Each structure stands twice: as C-alpha cells, then as structure tokens.
Amino acid sequence: MKMKKILLGMAVALTLTACNENKQQVTTATDTAKTVTDVMMSRRSIRAYKDSVINRETLNEILKCGINAPNGQNLQSYEIRVIDSPALIDSITQAVVKDNPKIAERKGFKNIFVNAPCVICIANNTEYDMSQIDCGLLGENIILSAWDKGIGSCCLGSSARWIQDSPSAKPFLDRMAFSKGYQLLYCIALGYPAETPDAKPRRDDMIRYME
Ligand SMILES: Cc1cc2nc3c(=O)[nH]c(=O)nc-3n(C[C@H](O)[C@H](O)[C@H](O)COP(=O)(O)O)c2cc1C
C-alpha cells in the first residue's frame, strides 16, 4: 500500500512541469493543497505588531501573489497604495484623530491601522459591478501570502472609512491619487505579529447542499 502511494506520488510529480514563472519546486498536488490549507486554517487577524520593518522585496512578493488572484474578465479592477513610511502613517493618523479624537483613546493606540508598521490601501472601480469581489480576492491572496511568510495582517474597513470621512485626511486621500471612478474600499494592516490570537468560532449553518 505504502509503495503504491509512493509510486502514485512520483507519477503525479513527474507529470507536473517546473515551468511556472517563480520556478517553484515541483510538488504533488496533494502537498500543495495541504500547505495552502494549513495557511488558511492557521491565519488569524493580528492587531499587535513588532516594530520590525517588512522589507520591500518581501512586500513585492506578497503583492505579486495579490495581483495573481482571480479577477473578473482579467480587468484587475483595483488600485493599490502601499504605505510603509512611519512618518506618513503618523501623519495620516494625526489627521484622522484630529477629526475623531475618540479613536486615539483606545488602550495602546499608536496608529489608525491597528498599530501596524505597514498598510496596503485598496481602491475599487465604482463603475464595475464585480470590482469589490476583485478587491476581496486580491486582499485574501495578500493576507495568505503574508501569513505564509510569517507576517500578520488585519483587514480594515474602519480605517478606510475614517480616511474617507475625515476632512483633515483629504490631502492624504488626494496623495493616493486613485484614478477617476476609483474609491478607497479597505485597508490591510501588515507586520510581524506580536500576538497569537485564538481562532474565532465559525458557524456552518449558512452552508446547505442542494439536491
Ligand atoms: C471587510 C472586513 C472588514 C474588517 N474591518 C475590521 C476593522 O475595521 N477592525 C478590525 O480590527 N478588524 C476588522 N476586520 C477583521 C475581522 O474582525 C476578522 O477577520 C474576524 O473577526 C474574524 O477573525 P479572524 O480574521 O482572526 O479569523 C475586518 C474584516 C473584514 C473581512
């Protein structure tokens, strides 16, 4: 039985060619699926980060995974701004807090991106009805790729709303220079985790098989 499994594994490996752009090692379909499942099931939203900076090479690898996500008609209907400058994160934070002082009252508050050292701002094309789906899939690939590299993340609707709704943050929104018809939809905080939160329970009663 064991030998049969090994032979089957070898056959699968031999049929896969190492022709992908990233020259990834050839693995069996089963190995790949297991790794992806592990990453998906172990990921948690992280809201406490180490000060360590994520280098740009690593960020680029993560973003490349992001834009490789499926997207409607391959329109790639998103625009992405990466902010890893502590000074810029501080300035945006100060602008938002000026208009919403309560935000800074949270315990341990450092910035409006759950204190992360890096944030990815994602805008959707408001003229394309599937754009929010494109943005969500883009973000999930970013989040999972980051987690695979030991980098934590937190999807943030609140931060995007604060930036959109704070008149004092308007200059920063302008600096993001999203194209006409594009609107900041959400942010993803990124950084090396300084906490290991437990998984939150999930319901499954919303899933039904139809016969
Ligand atoms: C669209 C969206 C918006 C979110 N906005 C926030 C937010 O503003 N602040 C926050 O702390 N977490 C935010 N989250 C993270 C969720 O709270 C988190 O994913 C959820 O509680 C499940 O926990 P888990 O990610 O650890 O599995 C958001 C997640 C999504 C998908």
Side-chain angles (χ1 to χ4, degrees), residues 31-51:
D31 287 342
T32 309
K34 197 171 173 209
T35 307
V36 173
T37 302
D38 286 347
V39 173
M40 286 192 295
M41 296 307 286
S42 63
R43 179 216 59 84
R44 302 274 64 90
S45 289
I46 299 299
R47 299 181 180 85
Y49 298 92
K50 294 179 180 158
D51 289 331

Side-chain angles (χ1 to χ4, degrees), residues 68-201:
N68 200 44
N71 64 93
Q73 300 172 48
N74 200 27
L75 288 173
Q76 302 163 59
S77 67
Y78 33 67
E79 291 188 353
I80 303 158
R81 302 291 178 259
V82 184
I83 308 174
D84 61 354
S85 148
L88 186 51
I89 287 180
D90 281 353
S91 302
I92 297 173
T93 296
Q94 279 167 30
V96 168
V97 168
K98 189 173 171 219
D99 297 346
N100 314 269
K102 275 205 165 304
I103 295 169
E105 287 172 13
R106 289 180 192 186
K107 199 169 162 259
F109 178 87
K110 284 193 220 157
N111 71 44
I112 61 157
F113 307 107
V114 285
N115 297 345
C118 177
V119 65
I120 295 175
C121 299
I122 297 169
N124 70 301
N125 181 352
T126 57
E127 287 158 19
Y128 174 45
D129 61 349
M130 298 283 166
S131 180
Q132 294 200 8
I133 299 176
D134 286 358
C135 291
L137 292 169
L138 163 87
E140 182 66 345
N141 266 23
I142 288 172
I143 286 166
L144 293 178
S145 167
W147 193 241
D148 187 43
K149 295 176 188 304
I151 294 168
S153 67
C154 189
C155 194
L156 294 171
S158 55
S159 313
R161 285 206 180 117
W162 291 331
I163 293 170
Q164 292 272 18
D165 298 345
S166 303
S168 303
K170 171 90 170 41
F172 298 103
L173 200 54
D174 290 346
R175 263 174 78 180
M176 289 183 195
F178 292 122
S179 302
K180 191 171 169 288
Y182 279 75
Q183 193 173 40
L184 177 61
L185 180 66
Y186 73 113
C187 304
I188 301 175
L190 287 178
Y192 289 94
E195 64 169 2
T196 51
D198 289 333
K200 289 186 184 165

